[in-house]
Amino acid sequence: MALAVEEQSLAIRAMAAADEISQRRLDRIASHLRATSLMKDEQLAAEVCAAAAKVSKRPVSVSVLTHLMAGGYPEDRQKVLDFFLKRPDLETPVEITKEQHRELAYKQLLAIVREAGVNPMKYLMEDPGQYFALLEAVGYIDMSLAIKLGVQFSLWGGSVVNLGTQKHRDKYLEGISTLRYPGCFAMTELHHGSNVQGIQTTATFDCMSDEFIINTPNEGATKWWIGNAAVHGKFATVFAQLCLPSPDSHLDTNMGVHAFIVPIRSLEDHAVLPGIEIRDCGYKVGLNGVDNGALRFHDVRIPRDNLLNRFGDVSRDGKYTSILPTINKRFAATLGELVGGRVGLAYGSVGVLKAAATIAIRYSLIRQQFGPPNQPEISILDYQSQQQKLMPLLSCAYAFHFATEYLVEKYGEMKKTHDDEVIADVHALSAGLKAYITSYTARALNTCRESCGGHGYAAVNRFGGLRNDHDIFQTFEGDNTVLLQQVAADLLKQYKAKFEGGALSVTWDYLRNSMGTYLSQTNPVVTHRDGHAHLRDPHFQLDAFQYRTARLLHTAALRLRKHSKRLGSFGAWNRCLNHLLTLAESHIESVILAKFIDAVDGCEDKDTKKVLNLVRDLYALDRIWKDIGTYRNQDYVAPNKAKAIHRLVEWLSFEVRGVAGSLVDGFAIPDSLLRAPIGLQSGQYSEYSHYVGFD
């Protein structure tokens, strides 16, 4: 026994000695890499300084970029843009009252449907990608128009199509498509927004009359912020608690939240119908072309057939039936069918980011300030500080474009196949991309405004209007903080499934490998590698993003388990909330980068592909640098590597500056629709002077 113990002790000491020798070798290698890194950093610094006097110009075809960024529906997009180019009477002026703006937005919507021959409802039902391409195009015309179109077709029309059955489509679809039945989507209440299950409006079934009675039981149940309600709407999809009389009690039985079609104005004279109160929510920070209103219902009777009954129905004798067994499952199915709104907001937010980036970059290219002694002034985009503000932002516009194209593609697949895995994937992906992209765009709009100095403050140059109109994107169709929590919850569910041997959804599949990577020690050699070839390798970039997500996920699960014992599940979640939000954002960034890599790999034009590689590298490395503390804390990136990443981000920003004009031209936003004098392709100062009255 003693001999065995001694042999074991000798073996342990031998292993320790071997480990010490290996570690010394690794330290020598790392030391060599650090020395090499210092030389490379000095060389890179010299290159950047030398290049500052001469902007790098890379060959790139704007027409190839335009085709790439137009997606699969360039003709449909161009049809709408061309229509408005020929209709200056439909252009939204800079100075306009709330009332004028509302009427103009409705006139624009009618023109799209009845004059341009566009059928948004048909697009939405048959090819969602075509619908979202239309939505982006009209967003360039007026964001109030885009939201009004979305309320009419995606929300009001979508609720009838997705929550109703064939009888509802037969009765309402044609009128919705032609705008004969303008409608609303009445979900939000004064006291309840994100917590839809807590809404208080009631729909009580009356067996005697075969009707539902819609009521607003208290002030908090007032429907609030309802688009199209204040002026134009004639119908509303009203979400309410479905209550059935109980034969054994004087109390009604609550079957949960359901949707009902409620007429609110007369089809003949547009008068508000009996029992309905409508108030105007008034002037808003932005989107004042959308007539948001507040609704109250006082014993408003509607036929039983007005229940949108795809997931739950009531018979003539008051019996409730459903294909789903519980209130929670019915509620999840109901909200799940409305995910298209989030897809549209993510897609539309990218359009806003493209417009803002175009204005800011074009202005920065022609604006000249200061310069070397006794030499001409230089463009403000030649300054490193301006490049660092705008070039990563431009890279994000491209990254987000490819990510939302993928989201639209998956949404279309979901609508066609109804596959459970795809449905789950789209729900979480749409929540995450909508939250992440709209939050980023909101910050970017301020950056663009500031980058244009005093001229960026002029209303005619659009930043104020874009910022104010877009700001609410962070709130409606789901508050961004709430949506990110949904993503985190789904990641934790996938994490649990991984260790129980379950299948992972498509978007989360990388966790299968990343968790193994995380659970092993980081390689000291790799953590010190700082050569350009390594840092610009998309495999390194994506591995870094996914490593961070896997580590955040693992530590979040451990923290939740620890705190649940003392605080309970709700308290533990709240205690770890900031950690969970960071986890969700990290995952979404991984998805965005993966789709960017796929898009670059799929580009067939050699010169364009080189430029897109630059843009992708800038996106990835700038994101890593922005969170370098996390990578350093976990020893994933050594100090020399962090420094190399920072220098490379500066160099890439300089390189992308050389093609920035072509990259924004690739968005193909017509000057007449961009409508910002400082953002025009040419003649910016002349147009700006003409606007204020000079000849």
Side-chain angles (χ1 to χ4, degrees):
M1 181 71 175
L3 180 61
V5 170
E6 185 177 351
E7 289 175 348
Q8 186 177 13
S9 176
L10 287 170
I12 290 171
R13 285 198 295 273
M15 290 172 62
D19 285 346
E20 186 176 348
I21 292 169
S22 297
Q23 187 59 49
R24 283 201 301 270
R25 287 175 178 168
L26 288 172
D27 288 344
R28 283 198 296 273
I29 293 171
S31 176
H32 171 70
L33 288 171
R34 282 194 294 272
T36 305
S37 169
L38 288 173
M39 289 188 290
K40 287 177 180 175
D41 282 345
E42 290 170 2
Q43 181 183 358
L44 180 59
E47 289 174 0
V48 171
C49 290
K54 185 178 180 181
V55 174
S56 173
K57 295 287 186 182
R58 294 171 180 265
V60 59
S61 168
V62 172
S63 62
V64 172
L65 280 173
T66 298
H67 178 74
L68 183 68
M69 300 300 284
Y73 308 92
E75 296 85 5
D76 296 289
R77 182 178 184 269
Q78 198 59 46
K79 177 181 178 180
V80 173
L81 298 180
D82 288 344
F83 173 77
F84 279 92
L85 288 174
K86 297 173 184 175
R87 292 293 302 273
D89 59 304
L90 295 176
E91 181 179 317
T92 305
V94 174
E95 298 180 32
I96 186 171
T97 67
K98 177 187 69 177
E99 290 73 20
Q100 291 170 336
H101 199 174
R102 289 173 172 182
E103 289 310 311
L104 178 59
Y106 191 52
K107 184 179 177 183
Q108 291 169 334
L109 184 58
L110 287 169
I112 288 174
V113 174
R114 298 180 182 178
E115 297 178 44
V118 175
N119 190 336
M121 200 69 230
K122 183 174 182 287
Y123 293 173
L124 184 63
M125 293 174 64
E126 297 180 2
D127 189 348
Q130 192 176 19
Y131 174 79
F132 292 120
L134 166 68
L135 207 60
E136 182 189 35
V138 299
Y140 293 135
I141 296 155
D142 188 332
M143 265 203 282
S144 285
L145 169 62
I147 298 303
K148 200 164 181 69
L149 185 147
V151 170
Q152 173 67 17
F153 299 109
S154 184
L155 295 181
W156 156 231
S159 64
V160 172
V161 170
N162 296 318
L163 302 182
T165 49
Q166 191 58 46
K167 64 183 179 182
H168 300 110
R169 290 189 280 274
D170 291 343
K171 184 173 181 180
Y172 294 101
L173 196 53
E174 190 272 336
I176 293 171
S177 299
T178 62
L179 287 170
R180 191 160 52 90
Y181 293 165
C184 318
F185 184 83
M187 178 182 282
T188 299
E189 295 181 354
L190 181 59
H191 283 189
H192 287 90
S194 297
N195 182 15
V196 178
Q197 275 189 294
I199 63 173
Q200 297 172 294
T201 301
T202 59
T204 306
F205 184 60
D206 181 357
C207 290
M208 298 293 292
S209 63
D210 195 26
E211 294 173 321
F212 284 100
I213 306 171
I214 311 296
N215 267 302
T216 302
N218 54 58
E219 180 183 67
T222 306
K223 295 295 181 184
W224 210 273
W225 293 125
I226 310 306
N228 277 357
V231 179
H232 298 123
K234 295 181 185 293
F235 294 87
T237 295
V238 176
F239 288 80
Q241 305 287 350
L242 193 162
C243 301
L244 297 177
S246 174
D248 304 321
S249 169
H250 67 281
L251 297 175
D252 294 333
T253 301
N254 189 338
M255 306 307 297
V257 175
H258 289 65
F260 303 82
I261 295 175
V262 182
I264 60 172
R265 288 187 176 93
S266 166
L267 289 174
E268 283 73 35
D269 61 7
H270 203 60
V272 176
L273 295 175
I276 294 171
E277 283 187 89
I278 302 178
R279 297 292 183 270
D280 194 327
C281 287
Y283 196 79
K284 307 183 293 291
V285 170
L287 295 177
N288 282 296
V290 182
D291 52 315
N292 294 89
L295 301 172
R296 286 183 182 175
F297 305 95
H298 305 284
D299 292 329
V300 176
R301 291 179 172 268
I302 58 171
R304 178 168 54 90
D305 277 351
N306 283 26
L307 165 66
L308 294 172
N309 61 338
R310 178 179 173 188
F311 298 116
D313 204 0
V314 175
S315 65
R316 176 68 183 83
D317 59 356
K319 296 292 193 311
Y320 184 85
T321 56
S322 175
I323 57 174
L324 299 170
T326 66
I327 286 177
N328 285 341
K329 286 187 180 296
R330 291 193 293 271
F331 178 73
T334 297
L335 289 195
E337 283 299 319
L338 305 173
V339 73
R342 293 174 185 168
V343 177
L345 286 177
Y347 202 83
S349 184
V350 179
V352 175
L353 181 59
K354 290 175 184 176
T358 299
I359 298 167
I361 288 169
R362 283 181 179 166
Y363 175 73
S364 296
L365 284 167
I366 63 110
R367 180 69 168 180
Q368 295 180 330
Q369 294 289 290
F370 307 108
N374 303 316
Q375 293 187 36
E377 292 183 308
I378 65 171
S379 161
I380 62 173
L381 199 54
D382 288 337
Y383 289 100
Q384 189 182 62
S385 57
Q386 192 81 341
Q387 292 168 11
Q388 290 274 255
K389 286 178 183 177
L390 296 179
M391 296 305 97
L393 185 150
L394 177 58
S395 75
C396 283
Y398 270 79
F400 297 169
H401 169 85
F402 295 123
T404 52
E405 286 286 321
Y406 171 74
L407 174 60
V408 168
E409 178 186 323
K410 295 297 290 184
Y411 178 75
E413 180 185 347
M414 181 191 82
K415 299 301 287 184
K416 289 177 182 176
T417 65
H418 302 287
D419 180 87
D420 287 343
E421 281 192 16
V422 178
I423 290 171
D425 210 24
V426 170
H427 286 181
L429 189 59
S430 62
L433 284 174
K434 182 268 181 186
Y436 186 89
I437 291 173
T438 59
S439 291
Y440 181 90
T441 299
R443 296 191 300 272
L445 285 164
N446 280 324
T447 300
C448 288
R449 206 293 303 157
E450 292 167 8
S451 298
C452 295
H455 293 321
Y457 196 63
V460 71
N461 288 320
R462 300 290 307 281
F463 292 122
L466 289 172
R467 181 178 58 193
N468 291 347
D469 285 346
H470 176 274
D471 196 60
I472 194 62
F473 280 39
Q474 300 173 91
T475 302
F476 57 29
E477 296 296 328
D479 175 83
N480 283 356
T481 301
V482 175
L483 293 182
L484 287 174
Q485 289 180 70
Q486 292 180 17
V487 176
D490 207 68
L491 283 165
L492 289 162
K493 179 182 174 183
Q494 299 289 335
Y495 176 84
K496 182 180 178 182
K498 196 271 183 197
F499 287 103
E500 291 179 352
L504 299 183
S505 296
V506 179
T507 308
W508 283 258
D509 196 48
Y510 72 83
L511 291 173
R512 201 183 307 278
N513 300 320
S514 299
M515 290 309 300
T517 302
Y518 160 67
L519 293 172
S520 64
Q521 286 279 358
T522 53
N523 186 332
V525 175
V526 176
T527 63
H528 286 81
R529 287 183 64 187
D530 59 0
H532 278 204
H534 169 66
L535 297 179
R536 296 190 62 185
D537 184 346
H539 294 100
F540 157 69
Q541 296 164 4
L542 191 57
D543 283 348
F545 277 45
Q546 294 179 347
Y547 170 88
R548 177 183 56 171
T549 303
R551 184 174 184 87
L552 284 165
L553 178 56
H554 182 68
T555 52
L558 293 177
R559 288 187 66 202
L560 285 169
R561 186 184 306 164
K562 169 188 170 184
H563 291 303
S564 292
K565 296 174 183 177
R566 183 169 60 88
L567 302 174
S569 58
F570 181 86
W573 186 271
N574 194 36
R575 180 68 175 268
C576 301
L577 188 52
N578 288 333
H579 185 152
L580 295 166
L581 296 176
T582 303
L583 163 64
E585 290 179 336
S586 176
H587 168 66
I588 292 302
E589 286 183 349
S590 298
V591 174
I592 292 170
L593 178 58
K595 296 308 143 191
F596 203 166
I597 292 170
D598 290 346
V600 175
D601 288 345
C603 180
E604 297 178 355
D605 183 82
K606 185 173 65 174
D607 290 335
T608 303
K609 189 170 186 174
K610 288 180 180 178
V611 169
L612 289 177
N613 268 315
L614 268 182
V615 178
R616 183 210 60 219
D617 291 342
L618 177 56
Y619 169 76
L621 294 173
D622 181 67
R623 291 291 95 199
I624 292 173
W625 175 248
K626 289 290 195 298
D627 196 24
I628 199 66
T630 296
Y631 293 105
R632 286 287 301 115
N633 287 342
Q634 305 306 327
D635 291 325
Y636 191 82
V637 170
N640 67 296
K641 191 169 188 172
K643 186 178 180 182
I645 289 170
H646 185 209
R647 290 189 179 277
L648 189 51
V649 167
E650 292 179 342
W651 180 80
L652 288 167
S653 294
F654 171 79
E655 287 292 302
V656 172
R657 177 261 179 267
V659 288
S662 297
L663 287 169
V664 296
D665 287 349
F667 297 147
I669 308 172
D671 282 353
S672 58
L673 298 182
L674 195 63
R675 300 196 314 279
I678 64 170
L680 303 182
Q681 287 184 301
S682 62
Q684 291 96 323
Y685 285 132
S686 296
E687 182 63 27
Y688 197 12
S689 298
H690 179 71
Y691 173 78
V692 299
F694 289 109
D695 294 331

